[in-house]
Every structure is written in C-alpha cells, then in structure tokens.
Amino acid sequence: MVRTVLESGHFVLGPNVAALEEELGTFLGVARAVTMASGTDALHLGLRALGVEAGDLVLAPAFTFVATATAVSYIGARPVFADIEPGTFTLDRHSAAECLAGRGLAHTAVASRP
C-alpha cells in the first residue's frame, strides 16, 4: 500500500486517503473520519470546531510541542501556559486555576489523561 501511494503521488486527498478515512470510520464506529496533514492541522481544526475565536484564551500545558501554541495563535487566540503534573505530564489543575484566576473562561488546547 505504501509503495502504491508513493508511486501515485497522491499523498493528500485522492482515492487512497478516501479509502483510509472510510476504513477508520468503520473501525472507530463513526459516520465519518477525517485525516489531517499534521498534528498542527488537527489541533487547528479541533479548536475551530470548539468555537475558539480571535481574542479567546486557550489553556495549554507549558511542557508541549510548539504546534500547540502555533495552532492557538493561528486563530488569533491567546495561549495561557500552565504547569504539568510531573508524573503524568497532564495539566496541573492548581497551576491552571492560578493562570486563569480573574481572566474568565478559557478553552483547553490539548486534553489528555494519564
């Protein structure tokens, strides 16, 4: 399959991507699966789907890849960085509360579980 894709030159869109999305949808038990070109694209689409707009605050872990802040900034929103729990690398709830104190509501850029 990889050779077929490489030889066809259809890395984005095309019949192989459509087939992959259909198989993923079936596997996941959802009506539609959409693939992205990168993690940054996936974060951007997720933030847009959540209704994040320019000027919004978006909570993000300080220990993260640059794409997290890039996706937030690309929309015109503002990343607010909170510390992580050292054992799980997830957002520290106390740090998050301190970062948002008096600032109102914010979205979360990356959600994870231990």
Side-chain angles (χ1 to χ4, degrees):
M1 177 58 93
V2 173
R3 176 168 285 201
T4 302
V5 171
L6 291 174
E7 289 174 352
S8 74
H10 293 284
F11 303 105
V12 179
L13 303 175
N16 292 314
V17 174
L20 172 64
E21 290 175 338
E22 187 174 327
E23 288 181 35
L24 282 172
T26 300
F27 177 77
L28 297 170
V30 296
R32 180 92 174 133
V34 179
T35 57
M36 300 285 129
S38 68
T40 305
D41 286 348
L43 287 168
H44 178 239
L45 182 64
L47 291 166
R48 284 289 191 199
L50 289 171
V52 176
E53 298 177 346
D56 286 353
L57 299 179
V58 179
L59 189 60
F63 187 76
T64 189
F65 185 66
V66 67
T68 307
T70 301
V72 172
S73 298
Y74 182 68
I75 292 172
R78 197 166 124 219
V80 177
F81 296 101
D83 286 330
I84 60 164
E85 292 280 352
T88 63
F89 299 102
T90 58
L91 284 172
D92 178 290
R93 63 186 173 137
H94 300 293
S95 176
E98 288 175 16
C99 289
L100 297 176
R103 291 181 156 182
L105 297 176
H107 301 276
T108 303
V110 177
S112 60
R113 296 186 310 195

